[in-house]
């Protein structure tokens, strides 16, 4: 499984932000903007909490296993792999959502004197912050579940047969 790359997440964020900003400008010239849901930052924050709780739980179980505590519960490798995949997928979607709401929020900064648009800009800002929390929790989960490097082959795979 490949590691999550910050560059990819930043690229998704920037591209989605630019497209969202341009789409918001276009949509505004035709009519009114679609609203930023109040639930968006709440749902993203809940996903961040679930990812962080999963990471802390796995980390505690791994620590108990390393210390050879008698009551230690092992970590199922398949469960850890599923958690990492969930974290990576959540981080990619959060980068996309953060870019979308970030672009919309930047567009809405021009209209802060209108109360409804100001509220939408605030919701968009909180959504971006919550999405960044999802990304941080996903990266933390990935680091917790990372296997130690294999020193024999330096991560190059199996040695060729002679």
């Amino acid at each position: 499984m490949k590691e999550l790359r910050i560059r990819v997440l930043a690229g998704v964020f920037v591209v989605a932000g630019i497209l969202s900003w341009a789409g918001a400008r276009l949509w505004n010239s035709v009519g009114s903007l679609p609203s930023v849901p109040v639930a968006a930052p709440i749902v993203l924050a809940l996903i961040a909490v679930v990812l962080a709780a999963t990471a802390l739980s796995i980390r505690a179980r791994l620590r108990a296993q390393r210390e050879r505590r008698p009551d230690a519960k092992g970590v199922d490798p398949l469960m850890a792999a599923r958690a990492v995949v969930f974290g990576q997928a959540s981080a990619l979607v959060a980068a996309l959502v953060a870019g979308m709401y970030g672009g919309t929020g930047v567009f809405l900064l021009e209209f802060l004197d209108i109360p409804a648009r100001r509220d939408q800009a605030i919701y968009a800002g909180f959504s971006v912050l919550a999405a960044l929390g999802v990304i941080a929790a996903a990266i933390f989960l990935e680091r917790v579940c990372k296997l130690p490097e294999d020193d024999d082959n330096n991560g190059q795979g199996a040695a060729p047969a002679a």
Side-chain angles (χ1 to χ4, degrees):
M1 191 177 312
K2 292 188 177 183
E3 248 183 70
L4 197 58
R5 296 182 188 257
I6 302 296
R7 255 185 277 154
V8 171
L9 295 174
V12 168
F13 172 78
V14 169
V15 169
I18 291 171
L19 291 175
S20 178
W21 174 80
R25 287 183 55 97
L26 180 65
W27 199 308
N28 189 52
S29 68
V30 174
S32 66
L33 279 175
S35 65
V36 178
V38 179
I42 296 167
V43 170
L44 288 167
L46 286 174
I47 293 170
V49 167
V50 167
L51 287 170
T54 302
L56 292 172
S57 171
I58 291 174
R59 186 176 72 167
R61 291 169 78 178
L62 288 173
R63 181 177 296 142
Q65 224 175 356
R66 273 193 307 270
E67 294 172 356
R68 301 197 186 276
R69 293 185 196 155
D71 60 341
K73 292 182 181 178
V75 176
D76 180 30
L78 188 58
M79 188 270 306
R82 286 178 182 156
V84 170
V85 169
F86 173 62
Q88 288 180 345
S90 297
L92 286 169
V93 171
L96 179 68
V97 168
M100 286 175 24
Y101 288 135
T104 303
V106 167
F107 172 76
L108 289 171
L109 289 177
E110 299 173 19
F111 305 101
L112 290 180
D113 53 338
I114 302 170
R117 296 275 175 114
R118 181 177 50 242
D119 291 344
Q120 294 298 305
I122 291 170
Y123 300 151
F126 282 138
S127 296
V128 170
L129 290 176
L132 292 175
V134 169
I135 292 169
I139 290 172
F140 177 58
L141 175 62
E142 186 179 59
R143 299 299 184 258
V144 165
C145 293
K146 186 175 180 181
L147 292 174
E149 294 294 324
D150 185 12
D151 293 333
D152 295 339
N153 297 324
N154 289 331
Q156 300 296 324

